Amino acid sequence: MEYINGIEVIKAFGKAKSSYERFVTAAKEGASCYVEWMRKCDIPFSLAMVLTPCTALTVLPFGGLFAMNGSLVPADFIMIILLSVGLIQPLITCMSYSDDIGKMKTVFGEITGILMAEELSRPGQDEQKPADYSVSLKNVHFGYGDKEVLHGIDMEMLSGTVTALVGPSGSGKSTIAKLIASLWDVQEGSICIGGVDIRRLSLEEYNRRVAYVSQDNYLFNDTIMENIRMGRAGATDEEVIAVAKKSGCHDFIMQLEDGYDTIAGGSGGHLSGGERQRIAIARAMLKDAPVVILDEASAYMDPENEAVIQASVAKLVQGKTLIVIAHRLSTIADADRIYVINDGRVDSSGTHRELLQKNGLYKNMWEAHISVKDTVNTENCGKNKKDPEKGGAANA
Ligand SMILES: Nc1ncnc2c1ncn2[C@@H]1O[C@H](COP(=O)(O)OP(=O)(O)OP(=O)(O)O)[C@@H](O)[C@H]1O
Ligand SMILES: [Mg+2]
């Protein structure tokens, strides 16, 4: 599976020979494991196959003995002989299932492991109504397994504002987004929406309030129409098309062979990264939830589509709580509040201008961002063209 799934990387890095060798080694190991298994079962299985049909070896002498001393009626003795012969075939069939039973035990063990995993404990109905759609995190700790990733995060995201999370790769931004989207529970601290701890809200109601576009978008192996409609079951085709137009999907969808009825392919494999992202945004827009989380939602987009989507998102989120994660700092410089996350902690927060004045991590990141843009401009244009973004948030 790894060989087939990773075939693009293998080809791109010229590893076809060494990777194929790994595949051959794995196949040979599989074969020798099978032979070893057969060898272990060889003697007990052969003995069973030889001895089981020999029921007569025990039935005849013992039955004869009991018949002679009168404890067994001759008619019963004959019946037992007949039955013992008839039992052989079902017994052999049962034995042939023994390896299937072994396989089933392994599969059941794995499935049971998943079924027994701890569930999010949420009430069936909201225990308290949130006052608004502001989101706040208080001293949030969270880790995957034993490794703690977030070490006490405090944040405040007000209704009707745009909050951006920025920071180095691996600092924990997506983890914060997933916790707000309620994919996991915090291990310490709390996340509140409108002043109510999300653990006191019903999961179904909560999911209706939050639209989350993740970093790696998943499209189901269904038509594009249905993939977008997943945002709100019951939306009409016209509503789906309207939202697709707003998120810059409509044109490319119409160019596909079957338009909106085109099957997106396993995890959206037949579409480009940017196209998948736009469909995921359309799905979130259709949901029309009061809290919207966009994790690197425009990372794969070309500048034209990014502008279309930013304009639509700006309209969409009026009066909503928008949480955006972005590496391209120019896309979030206008945010009402920016949180800089570093190594699972909030390094600093404020507006773009305030953070630049603090001379901290944000300023370094911004300067790195600008200098990369300068380098690209210089290389592209052959002259050092001044970047308008250097003017600051308003220009950005
Ligand atoms: N499912 C997971 N299991 C174990 N560790 C994980 C998992 N997801 C993330 N991590 C780890 O948690 C840390 C934070 O990851 P996270 O995805 O939140 O970073 P990020 O800030 O979003 O990074 P990026 O900017 O690259 O998207 C990383 O060290 C990562 O290796
Ligand atoms: Mg991330």
Side-chain angles (χ1 to χ4, degrees):
M1 286 305 287
E2 195 186 337
Y3 183 71
I4 303 288
N5 287 340
I7 199 91
E8 283 180 12
V9 183
I10 290 167
K11 278 189 157 183
F13 289 91
K15 296 279 180 203
K17 195 161 173 270
S18 61
S19 299
Y20 192 69
E21 275 165 13
R22 273 185 63 194
F23 165 67
V24 171
T25 314
K28 281 185 180 158
E29 275 173 12
S32 57
C33 170
Y34 193 80
V35 170
E36 182 64 18
W37 175 29
M38 289 299 117
R39 198 172 287 141
K40 273 188 190 157
C41 300
D42 219 10
I43 294 170
F45 206 76
S46 306
L47 277 176
M49 291 298 277
V50 170
L51 293 179
T52 320
C54 302
T55 43
L57 279 181
T58 48
V59 171
L60 284 181
F62 284 104
L65 194 69
F66 296 146
M68 278 198 297
N69 65 23
S71 64
L72 187 64
V73 185
D76 287 351
F77 184 33
I78 292 166
M79 178 61 82
I80 287 171
I81 293 172
L82 290 176
L83 279 178
S84 69
V85 173
L87 264 178
I88 297 168
Q89 198 48 47
L91 274 178
I92 290 177
T93 312
C94 269
M95 274 193 318
S96 70
Y97 287 144
S98 60
D99 54 341
D100 292 327
I101 291 169
K103 279 183 215 162
M104 276 195 292
K105 259 193 201 162
T106 311
V107 174
F108 281 142
E110 283 172 11
I111 293 175
T112 312
I114 294 171
L115 292 180
M116 298 308 278
E118 206 181 328
E119 287 185 38
L120 292 179
S121 71
R122 296 290 154 86
Q125 283 190 330
D126 290 355
E127 289 177 3
Q128 205 181 329
K129 281 271 165 267
D132 55 16
Y133 293 109
S134 62
V135 179
S136 64
L137 281 76
K138 289 184 196 109
N139 189 32
V140 167
H141 289 255
F142 179 79
Y144 298 98
D146 295 335
K147 185 183 153 212
E148 190 171 273
V149 174
L150 303 179
H151 321 281
I153 299 273
D154 288 291
M155 278 186 188
E156 197 67 50
M157 302 153 190
L158 301 177
S159 278
T161 65
V162 178
T163 307
L165 306 188
V166 300
S169 187
S171 55
K173 304 177 298 292
S174 297
T175 307
I176 296 176
K178 285 174 189 167
L179 287 177
I180 299 175
S182 200
L183 301 190
W184 287 290
D185 266 339
V186 296
Q187 285 155 3
E188 216 185 303
S190 64
I191 299 179
C192 295
I193 180 162
V196 182
D197 192 319
I198 60 173
R199 284 168 291 193
R200 300 182 58 201
L201 300 172
S202 109
L203 198 57
E204 204 180 321
E205 283 289 315
Y206 189 77
N207 285 339
R208 247 179 251 144
R209 292 178 182 121
V210 179
Y212 167 56
V213 178
S214 81
Q215 207 164 0
D216 21 58
N217 301 298
Y218 188 85
L219 297 186
F220 293 91
N221 200 14
D222 202 343
T223 62
I224 292 182
M225 180 69 87
E226 292 309 318
N227 263 292
I228 300 179
R229 210 195 311 269
M230 241 159 243
R232 176 158 49 90
T236 61
D237 287 2
E238 289 70 35
E239 284 173 318
V240 171
I241 293 170
V243 90
K245 281 181 182 163
K246 280 190 203 159
S247 56
C249 301
H250 185 71
D251 291 344
F252 85 79
I253 294 175
M254 292 316 283
Q255 278 167 17
L256 297 172
E257 206 177 323
D258 297 321
Y260 281 86
D261 293 328
T262 310
I263 301 289
S267 72
H270 305 160
L271 298 169
S272 78
E275 289 167 347
R276 276 209 303 270
Q277 230 166 18
R278 275 177 273 161
I279 290 183
I281 290 177
R283 191 195 271 166
M285 279 187 176
L286 187 66
K287 191 167 178 184
D288 200 20
V291 179
V292 182
I293 308 168
L294 304 177
D295 190 351
E296 289 285 346
S298 59
Y300 296 117
M301 268 172 224
D302 55 279
E304 206 177 310
N305 274 309
E306 193 174 347
V308 170
I309 289 182
Q310 278 195 337
S312 312
V313 169
K315 260 189 247 157
L316 168 89
V317 299
Q318 275 165 5
K320 297 184 178 179
T321 313
L322 175 64
I323 302 161
V324 197
I325 299 176
H327 275 296
R328 275 190 283 173
L329 299 185
S330 50
T331 58
I332 51 91
D334 280 336
D336 296 297
R337 191 152 199 197
I338 301 168
Y339 281 93
V340 184
I341 311 296
N342 191 17
D343 198 16
R345 292 185 176 85
V346 177
D347 174 88
S348 47
S349 69
T351 61
H352 174 75
R353 280 180 195 285
E354 286 165 2
L355 286 170
L356 283 184
Q357 279 162 9
K358 280 185 187 164
N359 267 333
L361 177 60
Y362 185 79
K363 192 173 179 209
N364 294 343
M365 286 166 57
W366 179 257
E367 278 169 359
H369 177 66
I370 294 297
S371 75
V372 169
K373 280 181 153 269
D374 267 354
T375 316
V376 172
N377 282 345
T378 315
E379 279 170 7
N380 285 351
C381 313
K383 59 182 178 191
N384 194 353
K385 211 173 117 193
K386 217 165 170 45
D387 195 303
E389 276 183 9
K390 281 201 161 172
N395 287 338

